[in-house]
Amino acid sequence: MRKQLFWLLTCGISLLNGLFFFLGSLALLARGIPDVDNQGALLFIPLLWITAVAVLLFLNGCTLACGFVLEKGYRFHPGRLFCLRGLRGGKLVCRAGLLLLSALVLLHAFCVSAPNGHLLDAAYLLTGVLYLLCLYLWRQAEAGRHVG
């Protein structure tokens, strides 16, 4: 996948993740926290929205800057993310840990959130995992540029 297309995919996933975060927290803000008398903590949710926008802008800006310094014909191969052959030491532990963590979050989304009717939570978790994997691929591309 060409780097421009992968950047658009990464940005699209981040926007979806931000949208699900906004909708889920807006629903929580509207209904309140059950069995809690003091709902004052909910007043911080709009501050979280502002912070989330700043973080998404920063991360998407970092991936854009990374895309500018990659060579012109660079292509991403997302399928290679699941190939552990040839990795040694810390790289193997890091990749296996990322995949294990991603699998656990996806398991939580499918087994806990979705069956209990928390579809926004499940969608937020799914897009979050996809975004994390995209950011990992950007980081690997940047690290590979410095090695070669």
Side-chain angles (χ1 to χ4, degrees):
M1 179 180 301
R2 291 185 11 228
K3 65 181 179 178
Q4 297 88 348
L5 184 61
F6 191 71
W7 186 78
L8 288 173
L9 176 70
T10 302
C11 286
I13 291 171
S14 74
L15 290 174
L16 274 175
N17 185 260
L19 176 69
F20 291 135
F21 172 73
F22 173 75
L23 292 175
S25 58
L26 184 64
L28 179 66
L29 187 62
R31 76 175 173 265
I33 304 171
D35 300 325
V36 173
D37 293 333
N38 185 358
Q39 301 289 321
L42 295 174
L43 296 174
F44 287 99
I45 288 178
L47 293 174
L48 292 175
W49 295 338
I50 294 168
T51 305
V53 168
V55 168
L56 287 180
L57 287 174
F58 174 75
L59 289 174
N60 287 332
C62 287
T63 57
L64 182 63
C66 180
F68 281 131
V69 297
L70 292 176
E71 62 264 8
K72 187 174 178 102
Y74 189 87
R75 291 189 174 275
F76 283 89
H77 302 282
R80 290 186 187 163
L81 181 67
F82 303 101
C83 181
L84 300 176
R85 190 177 11 185
L87 296 177
R88 301 272 185 256
K91 288 184 179 183
L92 177 64
V93 170
C94 181
R95 178 90 53 94
L98 174 75
L99 293 175
L100 180 64
L101 176 69
S102 299
L104 289 174
V105 171
L106 290 175
L107 187 66
H108 183 275
F110 285 117
C111 295
V112 177
S113 296
N116 290 333
H118 301 113
L119 296 180
L120 283 176
D121 294 344
Y124 176 66
L125 288 170
L126 293 174
T127 56
V129 166
L130 288 175
Y131 191 49
L132 176 70
L133 294 177
C134 286
L135 290 176
Y136 180 81
L137 288 171
W138 278 106
R139 177 66 186 110
Q140 290 302 106
E142 178 67 18
R145 185 179 76 86
H146 292 298
V147 171

